[in-house]
Amino acid sequence: MLEIWGRNNSFNVQKVLWCSEELEIPYQRHDAGGLYGETDKDEYLVRNPTGLVPTISDDDFWLWESNAIVHYLSARHGSGSLWPEDPATRALADKWMDYQIGTLFPAFKGALIGLVRTPPEQRNFEKIRASASETGEVLAVLDAHLEDNDYVAGPSLTMGDIALGSSIYRWLELDIERPDLPALRTWHERLEGRPAFQRTVMVSFAMEDPPRPGA
Ligand SMILES: N[C@@H](CCC(=O)N[C@@H](CS)C(=O)NCC(=O)O)C(=O)O
């Protein structure tokens, strides 16, 4: 049985939840991180020394790093769907996963942490505005790509979309200035039509929210 440790309002945990639900993998989720704590305990740190979420255990195989987990679950359960069999298509999905973690997140981090995890009186709005502006520039690259593609690696949903969806949901929901990126919005509307995305990502992401029913 797949077990997932992590609060369900974390965008990195949501990648794993969404992936699991798209692939119809039964799982049990345990609250950890944020207000729930647990991640500073020895029994957690021995499995994930970063003290961050998510962490999974799958038949006693332990793994942390959200994109690595999405890769693993997709390879194991999603061959031909989330895990494209064609190496070139799979490389495109990989590329957008790397873009999420290596390009989008560094740009978006200031606005995301500033608005979601920082109390209003401590917010640095100059930093938030700079981050939002840089994120708009970064996402223009994805928008241009999506003009000719329904999903990031072509005509169907792959692990590449899974890695990006929870970040872009937040980018569209936060109170920040955004350039008009119509192809990206259309892509996001496609994600919004998916029940698994609705259940796992289109939920509140405020840190102070009470626990939601676990999946
Ligand atoms: N690169 C890691 C980053 C993990 C990460 O930063 N997780 C955040 C939540 S999105 C976290 O654990 N924050 C501390 C906490 O929630 O206690 C991954 O992709 O899994």
Side-chain angles (χ1 to χ4, degrees):
M1 162 73 110
L2 173 66
E3 294 189 66
I4 302 168
W5 279 261
R7 55 188 171 82
N8 60 0
N9 54 9
S10 140
F11 80 99
N12 282 313
V13 174
Q14 287 176 358
K15 294 174 192 172
V16 177
L17 300 176
W18 181 26
C19 182
S20 304
E21 298 215 5
E22 286 288 349
L23 295 172
E24 299 183 4
I25 308 168
Y27 66 88
Q28 189 180 12
R29 188 183 62 77
H30 307 279
D31 281 322
L35 298 178
Y36 300 99
E38 302 295 329
T39 49
D40 55 353
K41 294 190 173 158
D42 287 348
E43 56 266 37
Y44 188 86
L45 291 170
V46 78
R47 300 304 187 182
N48 180 348
T50 68
L52 298 171
V53 291
T55 301
I56 66 158
S57 145
D58 190 24
D59 293 335
D60 225 22
F61 169 62
W62 290 82
L63 189 63
W64 47 273
E65 278 296 338
S66 58
N67 283 3
I69 296 169
V70 169
H71 263 276
Y72 166 73
L73 295 176
S74 301
R76 183 145 190 213
H77 301 277
S79 190
S81 61
L82 294 188
W83 178 262
E85 277 163 4
D86 168 51
T89 308
R90 195 162 67 235
L92 290 178
D94 282 336
K95 177 182 78 174
W96 290 107
M97 293 179 83
D98 288 354
Y99 161 93
Q100 180 274 316
I101 210 145
T103 304
L104 175 58
F105 182 64
F108 190 33
K109 186 176 179 180
L112 186 64
I113 304 287
L115 290 171
V116 176
R117 299 193 60 180
T118 310
E121 66 281 4
Q122 291 172 24
R123 285 178 188 161
N124 178 337
F125 284 98
E126 201 179 318
K127 196 170 157 190
I128 290 168
R129 269 193 296 275
S131 163
S133 162
E134 190 187 343
T135 307
E137 287 170 25
V138 162
L139 286 177
V141 173
L142 177 59
D143 180 68
H145 174 70
L146 289 168
E147 279 173 15
D148 302 318
N149 295 280
D150 282 357
Y151 294 93
V152 298
S156 59
L157 186 87
T158 65
M159 58 189 175
D161 303 281
I162 301 275
L164 284 161
S166 57
S167 300
I168 294 178
Y169 174 68
R170 284 157 173 73
W171 183 72
L172 289 168
E173 287 288 309
L174 286 175
D175 186 14
I176 51 176
E177 274 193 34
R178 280 178 290 274
D180 190 25
L181 300 180
L184 182 141
R185 273 200 183 268
T186 303
W187 165 83
H188 194 266
E189 281 161 16
R190 279 186 201 106
L191 305 189
E192 286 173 16
R194 304 185 76 92
F197 186 79
Q198 294 162 11
R199 284 195 300 273
T200 56
V201 179
M202 294 176 68
V203 295
S204 173
F205 48 80
M207 289 290 284
E208 64 275 12
D209 276 357
R212 301 174 59 85

